[in-house]
Amino acid sequence: MQEGQYAQYPRPPKGEIDFGVISEAFQMVIKNPVPMMAASFFGYFLPLCITYAVTIYVEFQLGFFSPVANQDPMVELEKMGKLYAVQFPMLIGQGIILAPFGYAITVMTLKLVRGESITFKDAFCGFPKFFQSLGGVVLPYILTTLAIVACCIGAPIVGGLLMLTLPMMIDQNMSIGQAMSTSFAKLRPHIWMAMLLFICYAILSTLGAMACL
């Protein structure tokens, strides 16, 4: 062996999913707070606050906070039905509002990864692509929700396998179907890591919502 040459020992292949992306995402927000926080405020925080406020108001009007419990199960079922009748359209509206801002956050993230700069205007760049963003954000969300009905563990598996849908649509100019199938194919060999990353994302999102009351 000549001087300066070293034996190459076999190393396990590096996984394509690295949990370092979580800290990298925080760094992106810290370094670019205004456009990222604007998209998050209008797309996530504000609709969530409105949804919670309306839900609490409806629950109060229906007597859910009454100190006297109603023993009639039919009355309670009727109350729950009225509450769900209000919550369901609100959830649909929340998804419609979320879609363009989720699209904008993905665009800004891709630009930052490429070394480009972002501005406050980028926080609203999803509106010209509204229908594309609606499919890319809402459809995977619906499929993930349906997976809960099939099996509780199905939600993080489906959500993990489809989490590249929107980036593929934006970065590769794919259709919704192409992006979903490509995301599924690319992440299927790393299904468990994708599931764990999706669970971490859900936990962090829930903690963020709790921190904002």
Side-chain angles (χ1 to χ4, degrees), residues 53-100:
V54 173
T55 298
I56 292 173
Y57 174 78
V58 173
E59 288 177 343
F60 181 80
Q61 292 296 318
L62 292 174
F64 279 96
F65 300 124
S66 174
V68 181
N70 193 314
Q71 301 298 324
D72 189 348
M74 295 305 298
V75 173
E76 294 302 313
L77 285 174
E78 183 180 357
K79 288 182 180 179
M80 293 299 298
K82 291 180 179 178
L83 178 62
Y84 289 145
V86 174
Q87 286 182 324
F88 185 71
M90 284 197 304
L91 288 174
I92 295 177
Q94 192 174 333
I96 292 174
I97 295 172
L98 165 64

Side-chain angles (χ1 to χ4, degrees), residues 3 5 13-14 20-21 28 37-39 70 76 104 114 123 140 177 182:
E3 184 180 357
Q5 292 183 339
K14 184 179 180 181
V21 297
M28 286 183 178
M37 295 300 291
N70 193 314
E76 294 302 313
R114 297 181 186 129
T182 302

Side-chain angles (χ1 to χ4, degrees), residues 2 13 15 22 33 35 50 52 60 64 67 75 78 81 87 102 105 122 166 171 181 203 206:
Q2 298 179 0
I22 296 178
I50 294 173
Y52 282 157
F60 181 80
F64 279 96
V75 173
E78 183 180 357
Q87 286 182 324
I105 290 174
D122 289 320
L166 193 55
D171 190 49
S181 61
I203 292 173
T206 302

Side-chain angles (χ1 to χ4, degrees), residues 37 40 42 58 73 76 163 165 173:
M37 295 300 291
S40 298
F42 291 110
V58 173
E76 294 302 313
M163 63 183 175
T165 299
N173 197 26

Side-chain angles (χ1 to χ4, degrees), residues 1-156:
M1 183 181 297
Q2 298 179 0
E3 184 180 357
Q5 292 183 339
Y6 303 94
Q8 295 295 320
Y9 294 98
R11 296 181 175 87
K14 184 179 180 181
E16 294 186 18
I17 297 180
D18 185 355
F19 278 83
V21 297
I22 296 178
S23 62
E24 186 179 351
F26 276 110
Q27 290 298 318
M28 286 183 178
V29 176
I30 292 172
K31 293 179 180 179
N32 305 272
V34 174
M36 286 290 191
M37 295 300 291
S40 298
F41 177 81
F42 291 110
Y44 293 84
F45 177 73
L46 193 59
L48 193 63
C49 287
I50 294 173
T51 300
Y52 282 157
V54 173
T55 298
I56 292 173
Y57 174 78
V58 173
E59 288 177 343
F60 181 80
Q61 292 296 318
L62 292 174
F64 279 96
F65 300 124
S66 174
V68 181
N70 193 314
Q71 301 298 324
D72 189 348
M74 295 305 298
V75 173
E76 294 302 313
L77 285 174
E78 183 180 357
K79 288 182 180 179
M80 293 299 298
K82 291 180 179 178
L83 178 62
Y84 289 145
V86 174
Q87 286 182 324
F88 185 71
M90 284 197 304
L91 288 174
I92 295 177
Q94 192 174 333
I96 292 174
I97 295 172
L98 165 64
F101 289 106
Y103 184 98
I105 290 174
T106 306
V107 169
M108 289 189 289
T109 302
L110 289 171
K111 291 178 71 173
L112 291 172
V113 169
R114 297 181 186 129
E116 302 174 22
S117 60
I118 59 175
T119 63
F120 181 79
K121 184 179 179 181
D122 289 320
F124 305 92
C125 68
F127 286 96
K129 301 283 187 179
F130 177 76
F131 291 104
Q132 185 180 10
S133 66
L134 193 63
V137 172
V138 176
L139 187 56
Y141 175 78
I142 292 174
L143 293 176
T144 303
T145 304
L146 292 176
I148 298 177
V149 179
C151 178
C152 288
I153 198 173

